[in-house]
Amino acid sequence: LFPALVDNNTQPEVCAEIFRTLAQGTDPEHPHYWGKATDVDQRCVEMAVFGVGLAIAGKTFRRYLSDSEQHNLYQWLSSIRDVQLPQNNWSFFPVMVEMGLCLSGQPWQPEIIERHFARLDSFYLGDGWYSDGLQRPRDYYNAMALHFYGLIYAQLMASVDPERCAILRQRAALFAADFIYYFDAEGAAIPFGRSMTYRFAQAAFWSAAAFAGLETCSPGVLKGLIFRHLRHWFQQDI
């Protein structure tokens, strides 16, 4: 939805319905309130989506939400600051929230970004590869989380945090040079790691690389990787 909002490709009535649900879910007085995030909470995962949405389509949020509804949204998102998270790729979720607040002109806490990137950096193994937590496996969370969110951050926060964004791009470029060999000529990807059954997510990295303009692969190569992979999955029994 949020990328479509940037290009005004979503029908107004669809936007209104989605933002009505968002307003209800973040209103503590509404019976549909989602509730604040708690320790190791799936809501923290979903908050990352809204952080990215605010970063790329903040004006649309202001168009569809009243001042009080926006306040409720920001308060709900800020609850991720005070909870315990698994020490793995989840550290990117508060980073995405703070990025969204920053780029939409709201109060944000750069120290939270610093703290979580310090943790993420401790997972970096070199040559573009992370473990998904200390002494944890190297698997598809490299592609669909650690580098995926890293490239979104690198593209959107380049003027705010240029040094870190350059490092994230460099690591992603190294990873891409290895990861391209995980896909065969028909688009199938090697099943490996805890996350090997995530349908479609195996190629998410290449979409992030296209979004960020990563120069390791040409646009044509990226398009081929993504579409062959999607076609492969669509041919499989559900």
Side-chain angles (χ1 to χ4, degrees), residues 145-160:
L146 292 157
H147 284 301
F148 180 83
Y149 287 112
L151 284 171
I152 292 174
Y153 186 92
Q155 178 68 9
L156 297 178
M157 291 288 280
S159 63
V160 179

Side-chain angles (χ1 to χ4, degrees), residues 17-204:
E17 180 64 19
I18 291 172
F19 279 98
R20 182 187 67 85
T21 302
L22 176 57
Q24 292 176 356
T26 55
D27 180 0
E29 304 301 322
H30 197 281
H32 294 166
Y33 179 51
W34 297 329
K36 288 184 176 182
T38 58
D39 292 348
V40 194
D41 191 336
Q42 181 67 24
R43 280 169 289 204
C44 298
V45 183
E46 321 309 337
M47 286 178 175
V49 177
F50 296 115
V52 175
L54 280 170
I56 64 176
K59 292 181 180 179
T60 306
F61 278 71
R62 292 190 290 274
R63 189 183 313 148
Y64 284 94
L65 299 177
S66 68
D67 289 346
S68 62
E69 290 168 343
Q70 292 176 58
H71 174 77
N72 287 338
L73 171 62
Y74 304 143
Q75 289 297 110
W76 180 73
L77 288 172
S78 68
S79 67
I80 197 174
R81 294 169 173 166
D82 304 316
V83 301
Q84 294 295 316
L85 300 177
Q87 296 194 27
N88 56 16
N89 68 85
W90 279 43
S91 275
F92 261 116
F93 302 148
V95 168
M96 294 294 101
V97 168
E98 296 299 329
M99 176 187 74
L101 294 172
C102 168
L103 296 179
S104 61
Q106 301 304 313
W108 63 297
Q109 295 185 8
E111 64 272 16
I112 289 180
I113 289 179
E114 291 290 337
R115 171 160 51 90
H116 283 284
F117 268 120
R119 176 176 292 172
L120 292 163
D121 286 342
S122 73
F123 306 153
Y124 187 62
L125 303 170
D127 296 324
W129 286 85
Y130 293 85
S131 58
D132 191 24
L134 293 174
Q135 308 302 318
R136 297 297 299 274
R138 286 174 286 180
D139 58 15
Y140 273 112
Y141 281 104
N142 266 276
M144 67 186 191
L146 292 157
H147 284 301
F148 180 83
Y149 287 112
L151 284 171
I152 292 174
Y153 186 92
Q155 178 68 9
L156 297 178
M157 291 288 280
S159 63
V160 179
D161 193 3
E163 184 175 346
R164 191 189 318 278
C165 291
I167 291 171
L168 292 171
R169 284 181 174 276
Q170 180 185 40
R171 291 177 181 177
L174 290 169
F175 176 75
D178 286 342
F179 192 53
I180 194 169
Y181 294 106
Y182 282 62
F183 297 81
D184 71 12
E186 284 71 45
I190 297 173
F192 83 106
R194 298 172 295 128
S195 48
M196 66 183 184
T197 59
Y198 277 82
R199 186 172 284 220
F200 308 119
Q202 292 171 320

